[in-house]
Amino acid sequence: MTQPHYDVVAIGNAIVDILAQADDAFIAEQGMTKGAMQLVFSPEEADALYAKMGPGREVSGGSAANTLAGIAALGGRTAFIGQVADDQLGAVFAHDIRAAGVRYDTPVRAGQPTTGRCMIFVSPDGQRTMNTFLGASHYLPADALDRSLIADAAYLYIEGYLWDPEEPRAAMRAAIAVAREAGRKIAFTASAEFVIDRHRADFHALIDGGMIDVLFANEAEIMALTETSDVDAAIAAVQDKVETVVVTLAEKGACAVRGGTRTTVPAAPVTQVVDTTGAGDLFAAGFLHAQAQGRDLEASLTLGALCAAEIIGHFGARPQVDLKALAARTLG
């Protein structure tokens, strides 16, 4: 097996985050569930909600794309596969992710729908309520995959959010086959409870079939996946089927189980929670970067926790400090 050039290649939603502050009353008036993510299914509905947003910031986002930007900031080599439309938001996405040091070559999609967008309302307590119109990203075809790129990465990272539509689901299955044939590892993030509820059988088939090497989930997601009400029982239900199970535990830190051994680290200290957008994405960035460098589980979890703490201390899902220096202090 040849030495891979890239640490992580990811497939995910190519969307632009639009972040604006909003109070709890506004969120309730719009019928949103505070702190949750809901899908917006039509461009008209997306435009109407966008018109109601206050002053905000636009930055390329998407769960897997955020993770890659974090890995690149840590000094890792990354590439992204995801589809935008030939429009202004598509140009914003492409510019931002390339400027972050991530290779991005996926061809744009002509015509409708427009580039995906995630309208994020950030509450005074830092909670984010997301409304996502997935747009062109949900039409990613298998023939848009760069198979040589996938085979040239130590890890293929897949986000559960993109499992919903038929075309990208087929693309991700094809990518998994390419990675497996090349002898690479596959990391999968469960993404959200509603995704798990819709695709639990598929996710179990991947797990039972040995198609996932690293499974990322938070407490609620791992319990939803296993249909249990206890996080320890949920971890036990999958730990013998996946090489590494990684579970974030909010203020209690995070844990990983490999070979029957459980490693736990505390949450990194945060002066103030400003915006939790991207916390899980950056945790995955720190963990995968450390793993790609051959570090053990404790170091990987610790770097993940530090990256997550950095993200929730400011507005937006992209790092604002020197993560290379953070990694150097953590990993030595």
Side-chain angles (χ1 to χ4, degrees), residues 218-243:
N218 62 26
E219 289 178 279
E221 291 159 2
I222 196 73
M223 289 189 290
L225 179 65
T226 56
E227 297 183 279
T228 63
S229 57
D230 177 78
V231 67
D232 292 324
I235 293 170
V238 297
Q239 68 181 42
D240 293 333
K241 301 176 181 180
V242 177
E243 180 182 291

Side-chain angles (χ1 to χ4, degrees), residues 59-293:
V59 61
S60 66
S63 176
N66 288 338
T67 296
L68 291 187
I71 296 171
L74 286 161
R77 296 166 297 181
T78 64
F80 180 69
I81 299 170
Q83 186 168 251
V84 297
D86 187 11
D87 56 20
Q88 181 179 357
L89 286 182
V92 169
F93 179 89
H95 172 270
D96 281 1
I97 197 165
R98 290 168 182 154
V102 178
R103 176 177 169 179
Y104 178 57
D105 302 326
T106 308
V108 300
R109 185 177 190 272
Q112 294 294 321
T114 58
T115 295
R117 70 189 86 160
C118 182
M119 292 161 283
I120 303 172
F121 297 89
V122 183
S123 306
D125 61 359
Q127 287 294 308
R128 80 277 191 269
T129 303
M130 300 184 292
N131 299 266
T132 305
F133 172 62
L134 295 163
S137 66
H138 265 204
Y139 294 88
L140 176 73
D143 61 14
L145 298 176
D146 184 335
R147 286 164 168 76
S148 62
L149 186 67
I150 294 167
D152 201 18
Y155 286 88
L156 170 67
Y157 182 62
I158 292 174
E159 68 172 75
Y161 281 132
L162 197 57
W163 201 261
D164 228 26
E166 185 176 348
E167 272 191 286
R169 184 164 62 247
M172 287 188 288
R173 289 190 186 280
I176 288 170
V178 171
R180 270 286 175 262
E181 185 177 354
R184 308 310 188 190
K185 292 187 180 294
I186 298 161
F188 181 84
T189 176
S191 292
E193 291 172 75
F194 82 89
V195 176
I196 295 167
D197 289 340
R198 292 167 66 93
H199 301 288
R200 185 179 289 106
D202 269 1
F203 294 169
H204 276 294
L206 291 173
I207 291 169
D208 294 344
M211 293 294 103
I212 297 175
D213 299 295
V214 182
L215 174 66
F216 289 98
N218 62 26
E219 289 178 279
E221 291 159 2
I222 196 73
M223 289 189 290
L225 179 65
T226 56
E227 297 183 279
T228 63
S229 57
D230 177 78
V231 67
D232 292 324
I235 293 170
V238 297
Q239 68 181 42
D240 293 333
K241 301 176 181 180
V242 177
E243 180 182 291
T244 308
V245 180
V246 184
V247 180
T248 55
L249 307 167
E251 71 280 357
K252 298 186 293 294
C255 71
V257 179
R258 179 182 292 166
T261 299
R262 180 165 173 165
T263 303
T264 303
V265 301
V270 181
T271 302
Q272 180 184 7
V273 176
V274 175
D275 173 17
T276 56
T277 305
D281 303 335
L282 268 292
F283 179 91
F287 184 90
L288 286 174
H289 176 71
Q291 286 287 286
Q293 306 308 308

Side-chain angles (χ1 to χ4, degrees), residues 315-331:
F315 211 48
R318 298 291 168 88
Q320 294 183 1
V321 304
D322 184 352
L323 290 189
K324 288 183 181 179
L326 184 68
R329 291 195 300 271
T330 305
L331 303 179

Side-chain angles (χ1 to χ4, degrees), residues 302-313:
T302 299
L303 185 59
L306 286 169
C307 290
E310 191 280 331
I311 276 300
I312 65 177

